[in-house]
Amino acid sequence: MTRISSPQHSPRSKSEQHNPHRIVDQWQRPLRDLRISVTDQCNFRCPYCMPKCHEGRFDFVSVRDRLSYFELIRLVHIFTRIGIKKVRLTGGEPLLRPNLTAFIRAVARIPQIKDIALTTNGSFLNEYADDLKASGLSRLTISLDTLDQTHFTRITSQNATSLEHIIRGIQSAEKAGFRSIKINAVVQKNVNDQDVLGLVRYFRNTNHVLRFIEFMDVGRLNSWTESSVVKNLSILEHIHRIYPLVPLDPHYKGEVARRYRFVDGSGEIGFISAVSDPFCEDCHRVRLSSEGFMFPCLYAAKYLDLRALLRSGQSDHDILKQIILFWQNRDDQYSLIRQDVGHRSEFKKREMYQIGG
Ligand code: SAM
Ligand code: SF4
Ligand code: SF4
């Protein structure tokens, strides 16, 4: 069994070691990024993320149970006290939540927050790209698994949105001034593995960064099997035969995507290989679900109920203490021990849309 070997195995930079806010978990992993799911609702129904729950239903969080923007801002402030500078907004589809740009503006006003990113399925960018740019959003990630309309309809399980509409959304984001947009493509065997080169051809020379993501076994209901995963190494080799690639250094320690550039100078591409090349050793993200549960890992069953703390009148100081304790006890490394734990009941209680990807 491969496990994180030792704290020394993962040396940190000098500036990080001297960071007075730095708290680390059981494997010496600092807490650096906060991912906030602003809603679990979505206009798509990609089965790898949003499989139906019990009796064919989706277990959505009610508006009353969801954290308000006021509560979220309070939590972001609290998290900045232990060094959080980067926030990613996700979901569900984050642009379905009303007044999201006002919320982003409020987060951008917090002096310690230096970077705000958004992950979206792209279907509302025609309406919101300009407002998102004006609100202070730093970076945009758009999910797009295929350029084939039939496959797109099958993957998203809905007929109402055309692929053209998403492409126009990407163009709206470019016009609004977003640069180096990340385009995330999850590849599944016999679903869209034929579409890889089409995506590469389309996004080469665009200044955007296409990233291939291995299909993950988050939750219990998305019918994941090892054989449905297309290993990124095979995608890389396939692309390399036609468009030669060379590796690039990571931007920072713990970057999840392995970066490559095209030899002919037509841009960059990335591979996120959570199944075949896990990156638990440097995992420094905490996820906040839309109902305010703090998850230390995509596969974690244990969480800290921050909503209960917020709504029971606890002070910022007390909430911070519990966050620190929770992180210090963290020992999650699911992707490294996947083979051993399988579907054991203490793992994988929640589907991707219920945590926030
Ligand atoms: N709705 C937005 C979107 O699709 O970009 C944001 C939320 S979605 C959960 C965030 C990312 O998680 C997307 O890029 C999606 O493709 C990815 N994702 C969802 N389920 C996944 C799975 N089982 N394996 C790998 N990636 C997954
Ligand atoms: Fe919605 Fe994104 Fe999940 Fe697809 S991956 S169902 S677009 S939240
Ligand atoms: Fe992080 Fe958990 Fe994924 Fe490992 S399995 S990289 S600990 S979220």
Side-chain angles (χ1 to χ4, degrees), residues 68-315:
S68 67
Y69 286 144
F70 183 77
E71 288 169 317
L72 285 173
I73 290 290
R74 185 173 164 205
L75 282 179
V76 176
H77 272 289
I78 293 173
F79 274 103
T80 62
R81 289 167 61 180
I82 39 174
I84 289 284
K85 298 190 178 86
K86 279 167 81 171
V87 172
R88 177 171 291 278
L89 306 178
T90 182
E93 174 44 46
L95 288 170
L96 274 182
R97 180 142 176 191
N99 302 318
L100 186 75
T101 50
F103 172 63
I104 295 172
R105 231 173 274 126
V107 177
R109 277 197 293 269
I110 300 174
Q112 296 93 331
I113 298 297
K114 306 295 179 207
D115 184 83
I116 311 170
L118 175 82
T119 308
T120 171
N121 65 26
S123 51
F124 301 103
L125 287 173
N126 294 311
E127 294 100 295
Y128 292 121
D130 287 334
D131 284 353
L132 286 170
K133 190 68 192 165
S135 68
L137 185 70
S138 329
R139 293 181 299 120
L140 200 54
T141 298
I142 303 172
S143 303
L144 184 61
D145 298 344
T146 178
L147 290 172
D148 177 300
Q149 178 65 56
T150 310
H151 292 177
F152 179 78
T153 305
R154 177 173 164 205
I155 291 165
T156 58
S157 312
Q158 62 103 42
N159 300 311
T161 307
S162 70
L163 194 52
E164 261 310 302
H165 181 77
I166 306 297
I167 298 292
R168 280 200 302 275
I170 297 174
Q171 289 162 353
S172 300
E174 289 163 356
K175 278 193 206 119
F178 287 101
R179 298 284 169 263
S180 289
I181 298 169
K182 297 209 172 89
I183 309 290
N184 278 358
V186 176
V187 182
Q188 298 172 81
K189 178 89 49 73
N190 299 328
V191 176
N192 61 334
D193 45 351
Q194 298 305 311
D195 304 339
V196 162
L197 279 182
L199 285 163
V200 171
R201 280 191 199 104
Y202 189 85
F203 287 107
R204 265 158 51 89
N205 293 309
T206 60
N207 176 35
H208 306 320
V209 182
L210 176 64
R211 306 188 311 172
F212 291 104
I213 302 181
E214 286 176 349
F215 175 28
M216 288 187 272
D217 51 339
V218 178
R220 285 158 182 265
L221 302 169
N222 72 2
S223 307
W224 183 93
T225 59
E226 217 168 327
S227 61
S228 56
V229 178
V230 182
K231 290 196 177 140
N232 268 336
L233 183 60
S234 71
I235 297 181
L236 190 153
E237 286 170 352
H238 184 44
I239 298 169
H240 181 69
R241 276 195 289 275
I242 296 154
Y243 302 110
L245 295 164
V246 282
L248 288 169
D249 288 336
H251 283 120
Y252 54 88
K253 183 162 176 57
E255 185 172 31
V256 296
R258 290 199 190 273
R259 301 167 58 222
Y260 288 78
R261 69 173 173 80
F262 293 102
V263 171
D264 65 6
S266 57
E268 182 181 326
I269 196 165
F271 297 89
I272 301 177
S273 313
V275 179
S276 67
D277 185 16
F279 33 82
C280 300
E281 192 165 348
D282 282 317
C283 181
H284 50 246
R285 303 185 163 80
V286 69
R287 293 179 156 85
L288 189 62
S289 69
S290 59
E291 73 268 62
F293 299 165
M294 170 176 159
F295 284 94
C297 170
L298 276 174
Y299 299 89
K302 272 188 293 179
Y303 57 83
L304 178 64
D305 186 351
L306 292 177
R307 182 186 62 195
L309 300 182
L310 287 167
R311 295 186 184 177
S312 63
Q314 300 230 11
S315 68

